[in-house]
Amino acid sequence: SFTIADSKGDGRFEEMLALARRRAEQGKQLEATYRDHVIPIAMFSRFSGASIFGVWDGFSPNPDIGLKVALGIEGEFEAGRLAAARPATVVDPLSIYAWVRMGVAPLMRKLSQQLAVVQSTIDALRELAEERESQRGRKMGTFGYDGERYQFLEMTEEHFERQLAEANAALELAEALPLVPAEAGQ
């Protein structure tokens, strides 16, 4: 930790500090937009420029957010009820990732005959695992502003290993589920 006194120095850090303040404000605005509107997490991910897994990682610790996966219109709820009544329900990559993060993957594995995936789910989770594997051994961190202090957080090796283990566990679960064709009539 170190302190930069605003009254001293030549302002070399001001551009970096201003960027951190803007990012913090944008983050608050994004969080408020998501919390206050009916926007599915996948759509929000696309608009925010973050991966769906990154959005989940960012929002899931905050119980006030309320993660949303559907628009909340009756048509989507009815489609969900119909899917749940079928012999196998096709699950998306975020659900599998979330089950791993929440620690319920072993329970979901017991339902493997009632769940299925399409190839793109496996591909998305494989891409996540490969991305996290590529980060192994790299120095990474984040610089932010909490409204009072500037913070630089360096990601530890344990953090990377946990993230990689979660991605691999999600991929392993997806690969253990029956693979079905991604055709509309299936």
Side-chain angles (χ1 to χ4, degrees), residues 102-167:
M102 293 186 298
V104 299
L107 296 171
M108 302 314 289
R109 192 179 291 275
K110 291 179 181 179
L111 298 173
S112 65
Q113 294 309 311
Q114 297 170 325
L115 303 173
V117 294
V118 295
Q119 186 61 48
S120 61
T121 294
I122 293 172
D123 294 344
L125 291 168
R126 183 173 291 122
E127 184 178 312
L128 175 67
E130 289 171 357
E131 174 188 312
R132 292 192 173 167
E133 177 67 40
S134 73
Q135 294 172 345
R136 187 182 251 165
R138 291 176 50 198
K139 291 278 189 190
M140 294 179 67
T142 183
F143 180 67
Y145 179 67
D146 66 6
E148 187 177 321
R149 292 185 184 92
Y150 298 95
Q151 302 172 15
F152 179 78
L153 302 173
E154 184 177 354
M155 304 301 177
T156 64
E157 196 61 37
E158 293 81 21
H159 175 80
F160 285 118
E161 292 301 322
R162 181 180 50 78
Q163 281 194 324
L164 178 58
E166 290 168 346

Side-chain angles (χ1 to χ4, degrees), residues 5-146:
D6 290 337
S7 62
K8 298 178 182 176
D10 59 8
R12 289 181 292 171
F13 297 105
E14 182 51 38
E15 189 174 317
M16 181 176 68
L17 300 176
L19 176 64
R21 289 190 301 268
R22 281 193 307 273
R23 285 183 57 211
E25 184 56 36
Q26 288 171 339
K28 286 179 187 176
Q29 289 173 351
L30 286 170
E31 190 174 291
T33 299
Y34 184 76
R35 183 184 54 249
D36 299 340
H37 296 86
V38 182
I39 304 170
I41 194 168
M43 186 181 298
F44 185 83
S45 166
R46 180 166 292 198
F47 292 135
S48 71
S51 78
I52 193 166
F53 307 110
V55 173
W56 170 269
D57 288 339
F59 284 174
S60 61
N62 186 343
D64 298 331
I65 294 284
L67 295 172
K68 304 170 192 105
V69 295
L71 286 172
I73 57 176
E74 187 54 38
E76 287 199 0
F77 289 125
E78 183 59 28
R81 284 190 285 274
L82 290 172
R86 292 190 187 123
T89 300
V90 177
V91 292
D92 64 292
L94 181 60
S95 294
I96 294 171
Y97 179 75
W99 295 337
V100 167
R101 290 287 318 272
M102 293 186 298
V104 299
L107 296 171
M108 302 314 289
R109 192 179 291 275
K110 291 179 181 179
L111 298 173
S112 65
Q113 294 309 311
Q114 297 170 325
L115 303 173
V117 294
V118 295
Q119 186 61 48
S120 61
T121 294
I122 293 172
D123 294 344
L125 291 168
R126 183 173 291 122
E127 184 178 312
L128 175 67
E130 289 171 357
E131 174 188 312
R132 292 192 173 167
E133 177 67 40
S134 73
Q135 294 172 345
R136 187 182 251 165
R138 291 176 50 198
K139 291 278 189 190
M140 294 179 67
T142 183
F143 180 67
Y145 179 67
D146 66 6

